[in-house]
Amino acid sequence: MPATTECRTALRDGRVLGVTATVRPRANRAEVKCVVPCAPQLAERMQEVVRLARLTEHRFDSRVQVVLGLDVAPEPGDRNWELAAVLADRVARGVWAPPPGAELYALGWSDAWQLGRVDGYDAPPALPALLDTDVLLLGGADLTHLGALTGHADPAAAVSSVRAWFPLHSGGINDALSWVEVSVFPLDGAVVDEEETIAVPGVDADVQAAVRQALAGARHFDGRGLGRWRTAVRFGEPRFAGDSYQLALVMADRLARGRDFVPRGRLIASGTSKAWHAGRVDTVEGCAAKTALILAQAGQGDRVLLPAAWESELPTGYAAALRSLGATVACVERIGII
């Protein structure tokens, strides 16, 4: 495994950018670290891209850390570097390798890296001048999905991705139903720690830890849910407070893994738990405001799940009002009995 690798790309303004990837022992650090001077948001986006693209790998070794860096700062909105970052990460870890002695150039971006899809690239004024031994990959043209690197079928065929919605209530005009998306990919190989197989890009460390603990606990409740999946979790609104999203998270995971019935519309849920390993659903605050928000935005075919403790607090006729919209509601005390 090489200590440091580089993949180059061409930006829309014609500049050539180099992405370097360095491997070092994990030592209880994050599995991906991105360094972009004076551009913390770009570094955060690079970390998200790499973590999501890793979902489609059949084997994943979490014992190493990969440090990624850019030698040129791209302009805002220039995304050609995304494919170069993904490939540099894979080459550094020995997941894929270009021909020996070849310089690797890659231009491409995706709105669904967790599916292994490469949507396209932004054409620069001129492509880089290459030697006969160099390799150039253009997203959406030469490379439409990451599986093609090794001659495999589109990995999206093996990725199950499901969204569930939960009410975000702050007492203002920003109240809304936000989504959490869980994407799972069959895991090939033994798992040391279930939480290490769950990536949650774009959120802070506390939310990452809470998401991993909730999913690991809920899968433990399944009996045979552990050690079978690699998982990526995304939030529509990554900055929020509280843990009322957890029931929606757990249900999205169950739907993605085929452990529950898929509703005709959306699954909308609010609830948390101190004991997901026992399948228990605990109450959360804001019953009146959140149920009103759900009623205002529910639609045909939606399934609404609320904590059992809310059943006595629901407004009179709430279930009938939802039924008139074509939605259903259930107050549950455990997952798996819905």
Side-chain angles (χ1 to χ4, degrees):
M1 184 185 300
T4 301
T5 61
E6 183 177 19
C7 180
R8 295 184 174 91
T9 189
L11 302 177
R12 288 183 305 193
D13 57 11
R15 292 179 297 164
V16 174
L17 176 151
V19 181
T20 58
T22 303
V23 174
R24 62 181 181 178
R26 177 80 176 269
N28 295 321
R29 296 180 290 239
E31 71 274 18
V32 180
K33 179 180 179 181
C34 299
V35 181
V36 184
C38 303
Q41 291 183 333
L42 181 59
E44 183 178 339
R45 173 58 184 166
M46 189 188 308
Q47 186 183 56
E48 179 182 17
V49 165
V50 170
R51 282 177 168 171
L52 290 176
R54 286 182 176 186
L55 177 66
T56 58
E57 296 176 9
H58 288 276
R59 292 182 179 272
F60 174 64
D61 188 346
S62 63
R63 295 173 296 177
V64 299
Q65 182 190 59
V66 176
V67 181
L68 294 162
L70 305 181
D71 62 2
V72 174
E75 295 294 330
D78 196 332
R79 301 175 59 190
N80 276 348
W81 57 266
E82 291 185 10
L83 179 58
V86 170
L87 296 184
D89 172 64
R90 294 195 169 198
V91 174
R93 292 181 293 116
V95 175
W96 177 74
E103 294 286 350
L104 180 60
Y105 292 81
L107 290 71
W109 52 267
S110 175
D111 290 326
W113 283 114
Q114 73 276 13
L115 302 180
R117 191 178 73 203
V118 189
D119 293 326
Y121 73 100
D122 296 325
L127 293 175
L130 305 179
L131 301 177
D132 292 339
T133 57
D134 293 342
V135 174
L136 173 65
L137 295 175
L138 301 177
D142 303 325
L143 187 67
T144 58
H145 60 85
L146 294 176
L149 292 169
T150 49
H152 295 167
D154 188 345
V159 175
S160 175
S161 188
V162 171
R163 286 183 180 180
W165 279 257
F166 60 97
L168 275 180
H169 168 65
S170 61
I173 60 174
N174 293 323
D175 292 357
L177 291 180
S178 185
W179 54 262
V180 55
E181 180 183 78
V182 177
S183 302
V184 296
F185 184 81
L187 186 65
D188 182 14
V191 178
V192 177
D193 185 347
E194 182 74 11
E195 295 186 19
E196 290 289 343
T197 67
I198 301 170
V200 197
V203 299
D204 60 39
D206 290 339
V207 175
Q208 288 187 39
V211 167
R212 289 171 170 171
Q213 290 170 8
L215 288 186
R219 290 176 181 180
H220 174 81
F221 176 71
D222 281 351
R224 298 178 60 185
L226 297 175
R228 301 179 60 188
W229 311 96
R230 291 202 60 241
T231 308
V233 178
R234 295 194 305 150
F235 288 90
E237 172 50 64
R239 292 171 177 82
F240 55 85
D243 56 3
S244 63
Y245 67 88
Q246 289 191 2
L247 180 57
L249 166 74
V250 168
M251 290 306 301
D253 179 60
R254 290 177 63 84
L255 291 173
R257 295 185 293 113
R259 294 291 295 175
D260 222 301
F261 295 104
V262 180
R264 290 183 295 115
R266 298 173 297 177
L267 190 144
I268 304 170
S270 184
T272 186
S273 179
K274 300 297 184 185
W276 282 119
H277 63 278
R280 193 180 75 206
V281 179
D282 296 335
T283 187
V284 292
E285 297 180 352
C287 173
K290 291 177 180 178
T291 52
L293 176 61
I294 291 173
L295 181 60
Q297 300 197 23
Q300 185 74 29
D302 289 348
R303 180 195 301 168
V304 179
L305 301 180
L306 305 173
W310 282 14
E311 190 165 12
S312 60
E313 302 179 39
L314 293 179
T316 303
Y318 186 77
L322 280 175
R323 282 197 299 272
S324 70
L325 299 173
T328 59
V329 60
C331 295
V332 299
E333 61 180 11
R334 291 185 183 276
I335 57 174
I337 312 176
I338 298 173

